[in-house]
Amino acid sequence: MDQDNIQTRPPEPITITVLRARNLKGTKADSVQVMVKVEFGEKTLGDSPKVECSPEVPAELNFSTTINCTYDDPLALDEIAHKPVVLTVIEGLPKEKKQKEEKTALLGQCTVDLLPLVKGETKHKYTLVVNPLPGSPLEGIPPEHAKPELDVVVSVNEPLMDSPQVSSGNLMTITMESLLSPPESWTLAGSQYCYAAALPIPVTAEKEAPIIFAGGALKPGADKEIPNKQKKWAMPGSAQGNAIYIPDSFVSSDSIEDEDGELRAKEDRDHRMNSESEKLRVPWNTERRCYMENSAVKSFQDKIAKCRYWPVEIMRLPPPAANKGKKHAASRQGNPGTTGKSKDEEGSISYHGVAYINLAPLLYPGVKRIRGAYRVHAYTDHALHEKTKRKTGYGEEAGRIAFNILNRNSASPFPKKAGKEKDEKKEKEVKKGRSMSIASQHHGGHTLNPPEDYSVSAKSEMGSHMASQTIKSDTGSEVDGQAPVNVEGQQYVDSKSYIMLEISLTSPLIPKRPPEELARRVAEYIPPRPLFPKRTDGAQRSVEDFHNQVASVANLILDEFRDQFGDELKTEEPQSNESMETRRQKLIYELNSSGKYFAFKEQLKHAVVKIVREKYLKTTTFDNRQELQTFLSELYVYLIDQMHVALGRSLALEDQPPVPTPLTDSAQLKHFAREAEVNENFELATKYYQERIARNKNDPTNWFEYGTFCLYINDITKAEECFKECIAIDQKHLQGLLLYGVVCTLLEKHEAAETFFEAATCVDPRSILAWTMLGLFYDTVNNEIGAEMAYIEANKLNQAAAWSSVRQQREEEMAKDKKDMDVTGEELEAPHPGDQGGLAPPPAVATETKQPSPPSSDKPPTSARSGGGRSMSDRRQSATRRSEPHLHPDNSGTGSKLKSDSSMSRPGSQLKLGSQRGTPQPADDTQEEQPPREPTPIPKCSVYMQAIDWLLEVKAVPFTERALAHELLTPTGGPTSDYHICYARLKLQKKEFNDAEESLTEALQFDHQNPDAWALLGHVKYMTGDTNNARDCYERTISFVSDASEMHSIYLRLASIYLQDRKFEDAKNTFLLACKRSPSCVSWLGVGIACYRLDELSEAEDALSEANILNNTDPEVWAYLSLVCLKTGRQLESEQAYKYALKVNLQDQELLAEIQEVQQAVGFGNPEF
């Protein structure tokens, strides 16, 4: 009952209307009687009536025919998507004498694409070029003349798919491009074979069907024959000649860096360039579209998630031959017993290989297309099951289907010359095997056949059974207990064969959240804070505005009073009442006569009106005068009271002293906080971070750095609040988004964490750090495909940054070379040994082409090796296409200069034109050696190491450990010196000193003169109390030519060791080095202590005063100041310093005892005496 309710929509007729034909040419004259034959697949839909067409008047055909299509079967939509409607233009020849039937001649063909109807359109109009058939008079039309064309309209009454079908289904487009570097045993001599490829596609949730690409033929390399990049129809039907190509559809070309397949490494590029240019190839360049309903899409997605590899089988077929087909047809009639054998011989396959396509990128969010080169392996059932979890392939079944397609296209009578009874019987079997996708056509209509490259259910069981058997070509030898060996297929591996394949979808399997949605989700989690507080128009605001206006007017009146009577008030004589009254009257007169009184009144008017409206809610006129007078009296009293309040706030008998500007800025406070953090004085560090926030609460950086400190001391709740404030102030703060994602991950809020990590990649899509952090998060939640996607994107950006760095360096070298050439321009005009003919090129040409300089030139070797100033765009071309020795170097240099400015950030995006290949050049030019191809630059460090440096800086320990694990497994990484140093820094943060020391020992074995390694080893020794070894490490670090990345803590700790060892002069000098680089309270305190111990009291007082300015709450500073004052005999200052030392909680008992001892010796300094 439910099924009847679903199939309520009747079949939808697809109408193909041929409107008119123009610019046609006949066999005997320009005017021609034409008709158009319309075909779809193997069915003829109808013939139009004959209409005369002349060069001036087009033929108005207005012929329509229909195809009926149901809605409930996805195979019907699939057939419409990948099969064209073939239009054949036929010329009707006039009857001759004694001629019984009218003769016709085929002029040309064109194909109509029904894909727009599958995408939801209801009407689409085409203007198609008619492709001439062999022997047609259309072949003789000159190129400058108008091309023969047909106007065609395809339409449906209602869309073929409703909205749910459009949103849930998907249209996959598979482009099988070429097989490159085939086995060396394949040659162009002798009989030629056909080549086919096959791969399974989900039809429903449970069923798969093979897609066949037949018609591949062996072709020479690109150097000998320029390949045709236009795509072909997978099932062209009766189309011939150029009509088998899809109009305006060409094979795309991507740079190797942008591909998704294999063979992208540097060592594989030479092989690919050589294969594309010199070796044989098997091009298909065929596009196959497959419509998948919702269940098939889900099945496809689940299968990729379970096993990311998808098999594409490659095979060789015997050539189709019409004579062989006739013999086999005769044998079937004469001896039915040999039918099966003949079929097996015709459909037998050889050189059975398989390529494993990694479809995991299709599960990346937002990815709709993959394209790349994939290695071809020898096919065996064992290897197929191990790689793809499939028991058998479709080799034999695909071979039979491909052989039938090839024989049908080659006009062989086999296997389509069957009687009507066989066709009807086959149609009945098909209808029994599955629910028909196309409804029967009534009243002269037509019915669509199932796709020919899909196997019907009646054949699928037999095909799988045949495929499970051992194939001759796949079993060269078989040993007991071992998997069979495919001898012919092994030749693919020996020749390093690979296929180029592209798969695209109309909509991604995993939709990517747009930046707008991510920004909205971030705002939902953390609402943005407005820059200024919201102000409402209430009674309180109106009163505040009145106070502000009264204060403003009062200041203006005071300014006026000072201008008039300022000189009189400077005298110290007492002021009498009469003089003050006189000045008041003069002031009022001046205000009235100058108009300033009126201006002040107007300034107060708006504030008074707001009080009336907002506080007293009076917005209408008064009913009587008495009510008005009562209100005015009440208002006057209120305004006078508020005026006194405002004047009391703004005026004072004495001027308030200005607030002094802080002596330290935000950068210094940050430095002091980091210093206290290193010294593990977390209370003082917290004070500095909070002081930075108090000075500027609207700076997101202050909140962010305080959050990293809280993360370091493991106060996750406080860190979360800080990062929330950071993002609330700036919703696009990249590092804040990342660290809030880290905090959410630590709190196991994975959904929120993913939102913030993705938002970071949208805020800065070119950020290597953002993509790497997203990958580390996906690792945490075991999302392997998501992590792979993020790491690939990060590595692409890292490689692009390396190219950019090299390009910038090259441009700087070229600018320097140009400057040198300008200086030595006269010398370049003189002949140089080695120049051809003894003549140097003109200076302009030399500058333009940048020829390699002679040995006597001052150019650096890198500029000579650069190939005469070739820009990065040329080098990127050479990275994807073999360099051409036949190209003139002048042309190469000029082209590179023109393209250098427009070169893209990703290498290999430009390809050389095929028309330039093989261009004859003068013999002298061709003898010049082409410079070597520029090697692909290697990034300075991996994406993981860049993330590790940042993670160590922000103290995100769990993510740092995961990133270090990835760095250890990276091919370019591993246990290097940098790795061991970063690992030691992590262990120092975790207070695991033994592991840190072991790692630093390993790092020093790689690089014994690394200052960072020695500095960290000194920190380890210092933290464990081994001051002697710590001093040795610090002294070695300072003695190196290059400094460590963080020298301030080294100076402080080394100087403190000197103080402990009573080496006061060394301590003083070391503390002064710290003060010179980055002065702080601690560094100046150390100088003061050393000077005090050296009895340099004046210098000690100066240093302690500097320390006191930077931090007036340090108890040791006050204590030593008290000691200095005691030694210099200043009783009052010593007592004050001593009291402040006690007030700020001096904890050092030895220092306190020393002060009291000195106090007793000098007899003063302690107020308690």
Side-chain angles (χ1 to χ4, degrees):
M1 187 66 181
D2 295 338
Q3 188 174 2
D4 295 338
N5 293 334
I6 295 174
Q7 299 179 357
T8 55
R9 190 172 174 182
E12 179 69 26
I14 301 175
T15 304
I16 300 101
T17 304
V18 183
L19 299 177
R20 64 188 62 84
R22 67 175 72 87
N23 306 324
L24 296 177
K25 182 179 179 182
T27 306
K28 298 182 179 180
D30 291 338
S31 298
V32 58
Q33 292 281 337
V34 297
M35 68 176 184
V36 177
K37 182 179 181 180
V38 184
E39 298 173 280
F40 184 79
E42 302 298 322
K43 296 292 184 179
T44 300
L45 304 182
D47 297 334
S48 71
K50 294 181 182 178
V51 180
E52 183 175 354
C53 178
S54 64
E56 296 80 12
V57 181
E60 297 292 339
L61 298 169
N62 294 323
F63 171 71
S64 297
T65 184
T66 59
I67 311 171
N68 275 4
C69 174
T70 57
Y71 293 89
D72 54 348
D73 194 345
L75 292 184
L77 296 172
D78 178 85
E79 188 174 4
I80 293 172
H82 81 272
K83 282 187 178 181
V85 175
V86 182
L87 305 179
T88 306
V89 182
I90 304 173
E91 177 187 7
L93 300 177
K95 286 185 179 181
E96 298 179 358
K97 295 180 179 180
K98 299 180 181 180
Q99 182 179 337
K100 295 182 179 179
E101 296 182 356
E102 182 179 5
K103 291 184 178 181
T104 58
L106 301 180
L107 295 180
Q109 288 181 326
C110 58
T111 54
V112 181
D113 194 352
L114 300 179
L115 184 63
L117 302 182
V118 180
K119 291 183 176 181
E121 296 185 28
T122 56
K123 185 177 182 181
H124 196 85
K125 183 178 180 181
Y126 291 98
T127 298
L128 303 170
V129 176
V130 179
N131 300 288
L133 292 173
S136 169
L138 300 181
E139 290 183 324
I141 298 178
E144 62 273 8
H145 286 198
K147 296 181 179 180
E149 296 176 337
L150 286 180
D151 291 339
V152 184
V153 174
V154 291
S155 61
V156 290
N157 296 328
E158 296 181 9
L160 293 181
M161 292 188 293
D162 52 15
S163 298
Q165 281 181 298
V166 173
S167 59
S168 61
N170 213 326
L171 184 67
M172 180 191 298
T173 302
I174 305 169
T175 303
M176 180 62 65
E177 298 181 14
S178 301
L179 169 68
L180 297 161
S181 185
E184 296 180 358
S185 59
W186 296 4
T187 61
L188 294 173
S191 60
Q192 292 302 303
Y193 295 86
C194 293
Y195 303 88
L199 71 158
I201 293 298
V203 180
T204 61
E206 297 82 15
K207 182 182 176 183
E208 285 184 343
I211 296 297
I212 313 300
F213 294 90
L218 196 63
K219 298 288 184 181
D223 278 351
K224 299 179 181 179
E225 178 182 326
I226 300 175
N228 186 354
K229 293 293 185 179
Q230 190 169 6
K231 294 182 181 180
K232 302 176 184 177
W233 291 102
M235 303 294 294
S238 61
Q240 302 177 26
N242 289 335
I244 65 173
Y245 295 100
I246 304 174
D248 301 325
S249 182
F250 297 89
V251 174
S252 59
S253 60
D254 302 324
S255 64
I256 295 180
E257 287 77 9
D258 293 336
E259 290 180 355
D260 302 283
E262 304 163 343
L263 300 173
R264 292 186 297 167
K266 293 186 294 183
E267 57 271 15
D268 297 323
R269 296 191 180 187
D270 293 335
H271 169 65
R272 288 186 60 175
M273 288 184 280
N274 186 40
S275 301
E276 292 174 7
S277 58
E278 296 181 356
K279 293 186 178 181
L280 300 178
R281 62 172 63 202
V282 178
W284 284 279
N285 292 342
T286 302
E287 177 179 293
R288 174 62 159 87
R289 303 156 183 166
C290 310
Y291 175 76
M292 296 187 294
E293 62 174 353
N294 185 26
S295 61
V297 173
K298 291 182 178 179
S299 173
F300 185 54
Q301 182 175 338
D302 293 341
K303 288 179 179 178
I304 297 176
K306 292 178 181 178
C307 182
R308 62 176 60 194
Y309 293 103
W310 205 264
V312 176
E313 299 180 51
I314 310 295
M315 61 206 74
R316 190 174 79 172
L317 303 173
N323 293 333
K324 184 186 292 187
K326 291 179 180 179
K327 290 179 181 179
H328 291 159
S331 66
R332 286 197 303 272
Q333 294 176 0
N335 188 5
T338 62
T339 303
K341 184 178 180 181
S342 300
K343 286 185 179 180
D344 289 341
E345 289 177 357
E346 290 173 351
S348 63
I349 62 174
S350 58
Y351 287 93
H352 194 185
V354 60
Y356 300 107
I357 313 300
N358 183 9
L359 296 185
L362 289 179
L363 296 187
Y364 299 167
V367 173
K368 299 188 293 184
R369 173 181 177 269
I370 62 170
R371 179 182 180 272
Y374 300 92
R375 293 185 180 92
V376 180
H377 305 269
Y379 176 88
T380 60
D381 288 344
H382 175 74
L384 181 72
H385 177 70
E386 185 177 339
K387 198 76 172 178
T388 66
K389 305 298 185 290
R390 296 170 181 268
K391 295 183 179 179
T392 58
Y394 288 91
E396 284 292 324
E397 183 180 2
R400 287 195 302 273
I401 297 174
F403 195 79
N404 292 343
I405 294 174
L406 293 173
N407 278 281
R408 187 177 299 111
N409 292 341
S410 62
S412 170
F414 172 79
K416 297 299 290 184
K417 292 290 185 179
K420 295 182 179 179
E421 296 179 358
K422 186 175 181 180
D423 287 341
E424 293 175 357
K425 181 178 180 181
K426 180 180 179 181
E427 185 174 352
K428 290 180 181 178
E429 291 177 355
V430 171
K431 287 184 178 180
K432 291 179 181 178
R434 64 173 178 87
S435 61
M436 286 298 294
S437 62
I438 308 297
S440 300
Q441 171 87 9
H442 301 286
H443 308 293
H446 304 274
T447 305
L448 297 179
N449 289 327
E452 296 170 5
D453 52 352
Y454 274 159
S455 63
V456 295
S457 59
K459 291 184 179 180
S460 59
E461 295 181 1
M462 178 182 66
S464 60
H465 175 71
M466 293 295 295
S468 63
Q469 296 178 358
T470 303
I471 303 171
K472 289 184 179 180
S473 62
D474 293 348
T475 56
S477 63
E478 185 172 357
V479 185
D480 293 339
Q482 296 183 3
V485 179
N486 184 349
V487 177
E488 291 182 341
Q490 186 64 28
Q491 296 186 31
Y492 289 117
V493 181
D494 298 338
S495 301
K496 297 182 179 180
S497 303
Y498 63 95
I499 61 170
M500 295 297 298
L501 179 72
E502 176 184 346
I503 299 176
S504 62
L505 303 168
T506 54
S507 58
L509 296 177
I510 307 296
K512 183 178 182 179
R513 291 187 287 186
E516 296 79 10
E517 180 185 350
L518 288 171
R520 180 180 57 80
R521 293 289 301 276
V522 169
E524 290 176 358
Y525 282 112
I526 305 175
R529 179 197 294 175
L531 294 179
F532 303 99
K534 294 181 179 180
R535 303 184 67 180
T536 57
D537 291 330
Q540 183 178 358
R541 182 186 173 186
S542 63
V543 175
E544 290 176 357
D545 288 347
F546 179 73
H547 289 171
N548 294 334
Q549 295 300 327
V550 169
S552 176
V553 171
N555 288 326
L556 293 175
I557 295 175
L558 282 175
D559 292 339
E560 187 68 24
F561 182 82
R562 292 189 181 107
D563 291 340
Q564 292 189 24
F565 310 109
D567 296 335
E568 298 179 9
L569 297 177
K570 290 181 180 179
T571 60
E572 297 181 358
E573 298 179 0
Q575 303 293 327
S576 62
N577 293 331
E578 292 80 3
S579 61
M580 288 190 289
E581 180 65 23
T582 302
R583 283 194 291 269
R584 187 183 69 83
Q585 292 178 1
K586 286 182 179 180
L587 178 62
I588 294 175
Y589 174 78
E590 180 64 26
L591 293 177
N592 282 294
S593 60
S594 63
K596 294 180 180 178
Y597 177 80
F598 179 77
F600 295 155
K601 186 173 67 173
E602 290 295 322
Q603 184 175 346
L604 290 172
K605 181 187 292 186
H606 182 67
V608 174
V609 171
K610 288 178 65 176
I611 288 178
V612 173
R613 291 179 177 177
E614 299 295 337
K615 184 171 180 61
Y616 290 93
L617 303 177
K618 296 293 185 181
T619 57
T620 58
T621 58
F622 293 92
D623 296 335
N624 52 58
R625 188 173 183 82
Q626 183 64 32
E627 186 180 352
L628 174 61
Q629 290 297 331
T630 303
F631 172 74
L632 290 177
S633 300
E634 183 182 350
L635 177 63
Y636 177 77
V637 173
Y638 179 78
L639 292 178
I640 293 297
D641 291 341
Q642 295 300 320
M643 180 191 71
H644 288 297
V645 172
L647 291 176
R649 290 179 180 176
S650 59
L651 299 179
L653 296 178
E654 296 180 0
D655 293 335
Q656 295 291 337
V659 178
T661 57
L663 297 175
T664 55
D665 56 11
S666 180
Q668 284 181 306
L669 290 175
K670 176 183 175 182
H671 170 62
F672 298 161
R674 291 294 178 87
E675 183 184 69
E677 192 177 321
V678 170
N679 295 331
E680 296 188 351
N681 190 349
F682 299 134
E683 183 179 354
L684 181 60
T686 303
K687 172 191 169 185
Y688 283 126
Y689 281 121
Q690 291 177 350
E691 186 174 347
R692 295 183 73 207
I693 293 174
R695 290 188 183 183
N696 189 359
K697 293 183 178 180
N698 292 325
D699 188 351
T701 305
N702 295 343
W703 289 102
F704 172 79
E705 290 172 350
Y706 185 31
T708 61
F709 169 72
C710 295
L711 202 62
Y712 175 58
I713 62 177
N714 204 25
D715 190 351
I716 306 298
T717 304
K718 195 69 175 178
E720 183 182 13
E721 294 177 5
C722 293
F723 297 136
K724 272 187 176 182
E725 290 291 334
C726 173
I727 300 172
I729 297 170
D730 183 4
Q731 295 273 296
K732 294 184 178 180
H733 194 280
L734 178 66
Q735 296 186 357
L737 292 169
L738 292 175
L739 274 193
Y740 190 77
V742 170
V743 170
C744 290
T745 306
L746 296 179
L747 297 176
E748 297 185 354
K749 301 177 182 177
H750 297 312
E751 184 179 355
E754 183 177 13
T755 298
F756 284 94
F757 282 123
E758 287 187 10
T761 61
C762 291
V763 167
D764 187 3
R766 307 286 300 173
S767 172
I768 299 173
L769 176 63
W771 286 105
T772 308
M773 290 296 296
L774 179 62
L776 293 174
F777 165 74
Y778 282 138
D779 274 338
T780 306
V781 296
N782 297 322
N783 186 348
E784 296 181 2
I785 292 178
E788 179 184 285
M789 176 270 299
Y791 292 144
I792 288 175
E793 188 66 26
N795 284 313
K796 283 183 180 180
L797 293 173
N798 198 25
Q799 189 65 46
W803 275 108
S804 178
S805 177
V806 170
R807 183 170 62 250
Q808 183 179 359
Q809 181 180 359
R810 185 67 62 195
E811 290 174 355
E812 292 175 356
E813 291 179 359
M814 291 175 64
K816 182 179 179 181
D817 294 344
K818 184 177 181 181
K819 183 178 180 180
D820 294 342
M821 294 181 71
D822 291 340
V823 175
T824 60
E826 296 180 357
E827 297 179 3
L828 292 177
E829 295 179 0
H832 291 278
D835 288 344
Q836 295 183 3
L839 296 176
V845 176
T847 304
E848 183 78 16
T849 59
K850 304 290 266 192
Q851 295 290 342
S853 59
S856 61
S857 175
D858 294 334
K859 295 181 183 179
T862 54
S863 62
R865 290 183 64 248
S866 63
R870 294 165 63 226
S871 68
M872 287 309 300
S873 61
D874 282 346
R875 290 182 178 83
R876 284 181 268 162
Q877 291 168 9
S878 65
T880 55
R881 192 70 65 93
R882 184 179 61 89
S883 57
E884 293 297 324
H886 302 295
L887 293 179
H888 197 281
D890 289 356
N891 296 338
S892 174
T894 306
S896 68
K897 185 166 185 176
L898 292 174
K899 288 186 287 185
S900 62
D901 294 336
S902 61
S903 60
M904 299 179 64
S905 60
R906 290 189 178 184
S909 58
Q910 305 281 344
L911 291 178
K912 295 182 180 178
L913 295 177
S915 60
Q916 295 178 352
R917 298 182 179 275
T919 305
Q921 300 291 342
D924 292 340
D925 292 338
T926 57
Q927 293 176 358
E928 290 190 14
E929 183 180 356
Q930 188 75 9
R933 179 177 65 86
E934 182 75 12
T936 303
I938 300 176
K940 294 181 180 179
C941 60
S942 68
V943 296
Y944 306 110
M945 187 58 69
Q946 296 180 44
I948 289 167
D949 290 337
W950 181 77
L951 289 168
L952 288 172
E953 188 69 21
V954 299
K955 289 87 176 177
V957 174
F959 277 71
T960 309
E961 293 174 336
R962 194 172 297 277
L964 282 169
H966 279 286
E967 176 66 20
L968 192 61
L969 300 176
T970 304
T972 58
T976 60
S977 175
D978 291 338
Y979 167 81
H980 285 296
I981 289 174
C982 291
Y983 184 77
R985 290 175 61 189
L986 174 66
K987 292 301 180 180
L988 270 175
Q989 290 184 5
K990 299 176 67 176
K991 303 294 188 292
E992 298 175 1
F993 302 117
N994 292 333
D995 293 340
E997 185 175 357
E998 292 178 2
S999 182
L1000 290 170
T1001 305
E1002 294 290 336
L1004 290 173
Q1005 291 181 1
F1006 284 94
D1007 184 4
H1008 195 69
Q1009 296 183 0
N1010 191 318
D1012 285 327
W1014 284 108
L1016 290 173
L1017 185 59
H1019 292 330
V1020 172
K1021 298 296 184 181
Y1022 184 86
M1023 299 295 289
T1024 55
D1026 189 356
T1027 56
N1028 292 329
N1029 287 326
R1031 182 189 59 220
D1032 295 339
C1033 294
Y1034 289 145
E1035 288 176 346
R1036 185 189 293 266
T1037 304
I1038 295 175
S1039 65
F1040 286 130
V1041 176
S1042 58
D1043 290 339
S1045 57
E1046 206 284 312
M1047 294 294 297
H1048 187 73
S1049 60
I1050 298 172
Y1051 288 138
L1052 294 183
R1053 288 180 172 176
L1054 177 60
S1056 66
I1057 294 174
Y1058 286 148
L1059 282 180
Q1060 294 176 11
D1061 296 342
R1062 305 190 67 80
K1063 297 179 180 179
F1064 301 124
E1065 190 66 34
D1066 293 339
K1068 173 186 172 182
N1069 295 331
T1070 308
F1071 275 124
L1072 285 174
L1073 287 175
C1075 294
K1076 184 178 180 180
R1077 292 178 65 95
S1078 49
S1080 66
C1081 174
V1082 176
S1083 60
W1084 281 117
L1085 173 62
V1087 175
I1089 294 174
C1091 292
Y1092 175 77
R1093 300 303 178 190
L1094 292 171
D1095 206 21
E1096 299 173 356
L1097 300 181
S1098 177
E1099 294 181 3
E1101 185 176 0
D1102 293 340
L1104 292 171
S1105 299
E1106 290 290 337
N1108 187 259
I1109 291 172
L1110 295 176
N1111 182 11
N1112 60 2
T1113 60
D1114 192 306
E1116 289 192 31
V1117 175
W1118 288 110
Y1120 278 100
L1121 277 173
S1122 178
L1123 285 172
V1124 171
C1125 292
L1126 288 172
K1127 289 291 184 72
T1128 55
R1130 290 177 288 176
Q1131 180 178 357
L1132 179 61
E1133 295 176 2
S1134 65
E1135 290 180 356
Q1136 289 178 343
Y1138 177 68
K1139 285 191 294 184
Y1140 278 120
L1142 296 178
K1143 185 177 181 179
V1144 293
N1145 195 16
L1146 177 62
Q1147 297 291 332
D1148 191 342
Q1149 296 297 325
E1150 294 182 1
L1151 181 58
L1152 188 60
E1154 182 181 358
I1155 295 174
Q1156 292 174 353
E1157 182 180 348
V1158 175
Q1159 288 173 347
Q1160 292 177 357
V1162 298
F1164 59 87
N1166 190 346
E1168 296 179 357
F1169 288 171

